Amino acid sequence: MAERAFRKNIGLFDSVENLKGIGPKTAEVLKKYGIRTIRDFFYNLPRDYENYEKPTSISEIRPGKVVIKGKIDSLSTRRARKRNLSITEGIIRDNSGAIKVVWFNQGYRLRQFEPEKEYFFTGNYEFRNGKYSLTSPSAVLASDLDPMSGISPVYVAHGKLKSSDFKRLINNSRAKFAEIPDLLPTVRSGVRKDALFFAHFPNSLKSAEKARNYLAYEELFELILAAKLNRQENDKLKAMPLAFDANKVRTFVASLPFKLTNAQRLASWEIFQDMEKNTPMNRLLQGDVGSGKTMVAAMAAYEAISNGAQVAFLAPTAILATQHYEVFKKLLEPFKITVALLTGATKDKKNLKTNIKNGQIDLVIGTHALLTDDTEFSNLGLVIIDEQHRFGVEQRQKLMLKSPPELAPHLLAMTATPIPRSLQLTLFGDLDVSILNEMPQGRQPVVTKILSEVEIKRELYPKMREILTLAPDAKKHGDRAHGQQIYWICKAIEESGVSEATSVKTRAKKLQELFPKYRVEFLHGKMKPSEKDAIMAQFSDGEIDILVSTTVVEVGLDVPNATLMVIENAESYGLAQLHQLRGRVGRGMSAAFCYLVTSGELRPSRRLLELEKSNDGFYLAEVDLKLRGPGEIYGSLQHGALDLRIASLSDTKLIHWAQVDVMNFLQKPENMLEYSELMQGITKYQQITTLN
Ligand code: ADP
Ligand code: MG
């Protein structure tokens, strides 16, 4: 502790521009990639390491990946007969012999090398055009490498900053590592301090691995600490206790149009228990698309309003808010509960806001329009947020602050993105979660099929024809539909320069020609929100038979009469996203289908095969976690991507250590002052792991 206090520490949160060799221009590029502070810069870890410990001597070279240490001469560049291809060739020599080297379209190689200097060349030694040569190797000046180490880090290139630039820049700051304060007090055996240094300047592959292991631990520590602090902060707040009235709830449940699932019962019971307390509920309701979260929210709202509290329900788009409004009105108005809708399009907002303020409105459902300062409540006791990951912390906070002075509202956040259990236990260990892991009765799984593009004509078009002529789904929706309806999801192919608007329009035109009797419309992200809403509303009413769209089509859109979904270029989406998309069909009583169309002749990926097999979002989330790692999943889950640098959430040992150490850390409140860099660094995690 004393040592720490007297050491000269670098300002971790100062701008990178304070580092040697980083001027405003470089800083500008770095900023684009999220590297702003000295801390960001040091924690930009190598993607990989090249091993120069034992270069191959040329006399012993074999085909395959090789590292050669040698000098280069006889460099020349020529144009190949095929146009637009330049070939740069040379000879690499070491003490034992010489080989030919060749680069394609890398003319700068001609000027890169100094004669008489030694370089490490890493590349493939292979047979090409009748002879063996080393093809397109990377090249590093041998004297640039750590003399103690044959290991060289490889960094992800950011814009015009190449791996070698990062290497140079980090090398400039080598001396600064001694000034980096230890973020954490605890050091476990088997992991090392100074890990950050060794991650950039390892003296062996083993030392790099050890260093990364420690940094993973540090990262988990930060995450878990953030979650725990959130919990502590929440527990300090006071809320209005909302008493549970069994008789009233029974009457309400009996009035619902169907029998609740067991999962819905359990979740609402958990919610009722939370709301009885005088600390605010802070609960995440997770359920796959179609699992019936809205009903659970309705029960919570009913309970709060019975206690004289007002309820605010926040939805990400006007169309979802309107859909919820219609459902809630039907359910709650018989109980003399007043329900209002507040979106950008609401007429006479002023009057409505007056009524909210004087308490005449019990439940207001709305979009961002709810968040404005002039929307005031007289007694806001419960906030419900649908698709909570679509809102930023500031937005959620704005709503939470509308409760009476000194009181925080209870919070029910809902999401259709299932969090895998392993993530839940670590990152969300301190969050109260209710899970709807059961579908309402009568729901049929969506029949999913992988199809290659060439099969569209033979297999897909006849299926579409059939769907379009089937009797509309029994559920009251799409009253005006001819038959059942179809979603067709397509994707912009960036590389070929086709914009999303063009690809959607082209497909819609083609389908309209194929199905002239039916109405085909399209939807894409560049359209005005009012245009988008109009198209979605018409599809929902059954006036449109085939909706060609990018992924903008709403997640929560409930159109039970849409029973077929086609996803073009299915291989280009993530598993979670495909599952979400698919969730828009299979919401009624009729059988539903999803065709995953792939462009290549390659074997379908594991993702698609899993999707074909299973309709279970929680199972698929686990698979996704294994296939992609947590960073991306968690990133898509929460507003503001969480970028887990290196930690793996399947590393149970490290997680356990971090959990124990965080508990010990929190035992000593003075730690929070002493480890100020740690506390400052975790605010970003705190924002991500909080619901409110
Ligand atoms: P999500 O969880 O995706 O928000 P919703 O709440 O929109 O799902 O519910 C999907 C559909 O299932 C709605 O049409 C709703 O009326 C219906 N539903 C909800 N709960 C039940 C139930 N217990 N039994 C039958 N249908 C239900
Ligand atoms: Mg929903």
Side-chain angles (χ1 to χ4, degrees):
M1 177 166 172
E3 185 202 338
R4 196 187 139 78
F6 290 110
R7 196 157 88 177
K8 177 177 170 235
N9 283 344
I10 197 171
L12 273 185
F13 296 93
D14 295 347
S15 156
V16 269
E17 274 193 62
N18 290 298
L19 292 173
K20 204 166 102 191
I22 300 185
K25 270 200 187 139
T26 308
E28 199 52 42
V29 180
L30 290 172
K31 196 171 139 197
K32 263 219 239 127
Y33 294 91
I35 301 173
R36 293 186 172 79
T37 63
I38 292 180
R39 182 190 151 109
D40 295 336
F41 181 72
F42 285 143
Y43 276 90
N44 175 49
L45 301 177
R47 159 176 73 75
D48 199 1
Y49 300 89
E50 277 175 355
N51 188 352
Y52 301 123
E53 271 171 324
K54 291 192 191 86
T56 305
S57 76
I58 288 178
S59 61
E60 282 164 20
I61 198 165
R62 298 253 171 287
K65 192 177 170 182
V66 292
V67 178
I68 302 287
K69 185 182 185 186
K71 296 175 186 168
I72 187 165
D73 60 61
S74 313
L75 277 162
S76 68
T77 289
R78 61 183 165 88
R79 295 252 136 223
R81 245 168 291 145
K82 246 202 297 173
R83 259 190 284 152
N84 283 331
L85 187 66
S86 83
I87 300 178
T88 304
E89 289 169 314
I91 306 286
I92 298 173
R93 300 172 203 276
D94 68 5
N95 295 334
S96 69
I99 48 165
K100 210 177 130 193
V101 58
V102 52
W103 288 281
F104 303 101
N105 284 339
Q106 297 184 23
Y108 67 91
R109 297 285 185 189
L110 205 54
R111 296 171 301 277
Q112 180 187 0
F113 302 101
E114 291 181 50
E116 297 311 309
K117 284 202 173 166
E118 276 189 313
Y119 296 83
F120 282 100
F121 298 92
T122 309
N124 251 330
Y125 188 60
E126 58 188 13
F127 194 70
R128 265 182 113 98
N129 300 333
K131 43 186 174 284
Y132 276 101
S133 56
L134 186 61
T135 318
S136 301
S138 70
V140 189
L141 190 61
S143 57
D144 271 358
L145 292 180
D146 188 331
M148 304 296 292
S149 160
I151 308 294
S152 176
V154 183
Y155 295 87
V156 177
H158 286 328
K160 59 181 180 203
L161 293 176
K162 297 197 296 277
S163 172
S164 54
D165 296 315
F166 278 100
K167 232 157 33 184
R168 183 171 40 79
L169 293 174
I170 201 95
N171 211 21
N172 285 342
S173 296
R174 203 180 162 108
K176 287 283 169 201
F177 278 83
E179 294 173 30
I180 298 175
D182 296 318
L183 287 184
L184 312 181
T186 331
V187 181
R188 291 274 174 177
S189 61
V191 291
R192 78 196 298 175
K193 280 206 172 182
D194 296 327
L196 209 45
F197 178 82
F198 284 104
H200 292 286
F201 306 101
N203 43 29
S204 66
L205 282 182
K206 196 136 199 185
S207 96
E209 194 190 312
K210 264 190 170 176
R212 297 178 80 89
N213 200 32
Y214 176 76
L215 293 172
Y217 160 83
E218 191 178 273
E219 190 168 35
L220 290 166
F221 186 102
E222 290 179 329
L223 270 173
I224 293 166
L225 179 60
K228 290 258 188 280
L229 288 173
N230 281 342
R231 178 94 197 198
Q232 285 187 354
E233 277 166 26
N234 195 64
D235 288 349
K236 276 187 222 145
L237 300 172
K238 288 269 162 287
M240 202 187 304
L242 304 169
F244 173 63
D245 184 331
N247 282 329
K248 275 191 162 174
V249 170
R250 213 170 289 137
T251 316
F252 180 64
V253 169
S255 78
L256 294 177
F258 34 63
K259 213 169 139 261
L260 291 177
T261 64
N262 284 330
Q264 283 171 319
R265 273 172 206 282
L266 179 60
S268 41
W269 184 77
E270 288 168 336
I271 290 165
F272 292 149
Q273 301 252 309
D274 281 359
M275 294 200 305
E276 281 200 306
K277 298 189 184 131
N278 61 2
T279 49
M281 167 167 77
N282 195 22
R283 185 168 284 279
L284 181 66
L285 176 62
Q286 272 191 70
D288 226 335
V289 270
S291 59
K293 293 184 287 295
T294 319
M295 281 308 133
V296 177
M299 283 188 282
Y302 171 81
E303 178 75 2
I305 294 163
S306 306
N307 277 276
Q310 284 175 299
V311 178
F313 187 123
L314 181 63
T317 62
I319 186 145
L320 288 182
T322 309
Q323 202 173 280
H324 285 313
Y325 169 70
E326 273 153 20
V327 171
F328 278 77
K329 215 163 70 159
K330 223 179 273 164
L331 295 176
L332 296 173
E333 276 186 355
F335 293 88
K336 305 267 176 308
I337 288 173
T338 49
V339 185
L341 175 67
L342 177 55
T343 69
T346 302
K347 307 231 167 60
D348 204 359
K349 287 197 188 69
K350 215 168 146 210
N351 187 31
L352 174 58
K353 286 178 183 175
T354 308
N355 288 335
I356 297 173
K357 192 175 174 181
N358 65 27
Q360 287 193 28
I361 305 285
D362 299 309
L363 166 62
V364 52
I365 298 173
T367 52
H368 298 84
L370 268 181
L371 306 176
T372 54
D373 289 336
D374 62 348
T375 313
E376 295 171 85
F377 291 78
S378 74
N379 194 24
L380 180 63
L382 171 66
V383 166
I384 301 172
I385 303 183
D386 197 16
E387 312 284 346
Q388 79 93 35
H389 56 282
R390 307 249 316 246
F391 296 94
V393 182
E394 294 85 32
Q395 293 172 318
R396 301 194 302 250
Q397 276 297 331
K398 269 205 166 138
L399 193 51
M400 301 300 289
L401 290 172
K402 293 183 187 294
S403 55
E406 313 290 314
L407 288 180
H410 294 285
L411 172 66
L412 178 63
M414 307 200 281
T415 176
T417 309
I419 304 170
R421 241 190 96 66
S422 41
L423 270 189
Q424 221 176 89
L425 290 176
T426 51
L427 300 185
F428 294 93
D430 272 79
L431 202 66
D432 296 313
V433 179
S434 295
I435 294 176
L436 299 184
N437 54 0
E438 182 189 351
M439 286 290 166
Q441 272 203 337
R443 203 63 64 75
Q444 305 178 41
V446 180
V447 177
T448 304
K449 194 161 181 214
I450 302 172
L451 208 64
S452 78
E453 235 164 33
V454 292
E455 295 169 293
I456 289 185
K457 220 181 191 163
R458 181 161 42 89
E459 198 161 349
L460 187 52
Y461 291 153
K463 185 74 195 175
M464 289 173 73
R465 210 155 273 132
E466 179 194 326
I467 292 286
L468 291 167
T469 49
L470 281 180
D473 188 80
K475 275 180 79 176
K476 192 177 152 41
H477 252 138
D479 298 353
R480 276 166 279 190
H482 287 99
Q484 297 186 0
Q485 294 160 277
I486 298 172
Y487 290 104
W488 186 299
I489 308 295
C490 44
K491 184 166 180 121
I493 314 294
E494 299 291 342
E495 307 89 72
S496 61
V498 179
S499 75
E500 60 170 289
T502 315
S503 78
V504 164
K505 279 184 209 161
T506 314
R507 179 56 72 186
K509 190 158 167 258
K510 191 159 175 203
L511 289 173
Q512 186 66 80
E513 280 161 13
L514 268 163
F515 300 100
K517 281 203 318 222
Y518 297 94
R519 184 163 165 216
V520 183
E521 288 291 347
F522 61 83
L523 201 63
H524 59 77
K526 296 275 150 59
M527 287 160 66
K528 279 198 238 127
S530 58
E531 286 175 333
K532 277 195 273 187
D533 284 354
I535 294 285
M536 279 194 256
Q538 287 175 44
F539 186 68
S540 176
D541 287 344
E543 288 172 12
I544 294 170
D545 301 291
I546 303 176
L547 181 60
V548 179
S549 173
T550 56
T551 53
V552 296
V553 59
E554 268 321 322
V555 177
L557 201 63
D558 191 24
V559 186
N561 192 46
T563 55
L564 171 63
M565 171 169 285
V566 181
I567 305 178
E568 267 188 274
N569 283 107
E571 70 275 3
S572 63
Y573 298 92
L575 186 49
Q577 198 180 9
L578 287 168
H579 178 63
Q580 290 277 348
L581 280 168
R582 179 174 63 174
R584 269 150 260 193
V585 293
R587 294 178 151 253
M589 293 303 157
S590 317
F593 305 87
C594 178
Y595 285 86
L596 304 170
V597 181
T598 64
S599 45
E601 304 91 65
L602 294 174
R603 255 183 340 127
S605 65
R606 166 96 189 273
R607 283 206 302 284
L608 300 187
L609 293 170
E610 291 285 358
L611 209 71
E612 200 175 33
K613 242 177 26 199
S614 172
N615 269 277
D616 179 344
F618 285 92
Y619 167 75
L620 292 172
E622 289 291 349
V623 173
D624 205 16
L625 181 63
K626 284 204 197 92
L627 292 178
R628 292 198 304 165
E632 281 190 66
I633 297 180
Y634 197 48
S636 64
L637 207 67
Q638 292 278 358
H639 201 88
L642 169 73
D643 162 28
L644 279 176
R645 288 180 303 263
I646 41 178
S648 153
L649 290 162
S650 48
D651 192 339
T652 46
K653 191 166 93 187
L654 271 193
I655 289 167
H656 176 71
W657 281 357
Q659 273 165 338
V660 172
D661 293 346
V662 165
M663 291 316 280
N664 289 333
F665 181 86
L666 286 171
Q667 300 281 309
K668 288 196 221 132
E670 66 271 20
N671 276 340
M672 307 228 193
L673 290 174
E674 195 186 338
Y675 293 92
S676 59
E677 295 90 356
L678 171 68
M679 303 310 283
Q680 202 174 338
I682 64 168
T683 47
K684 90 167 191 207
Y685 292 135
Q686 261 194 289
Q687 294 205 341
I688 292 165
T689 51
T690 188
L691 285 181
N692 52 24

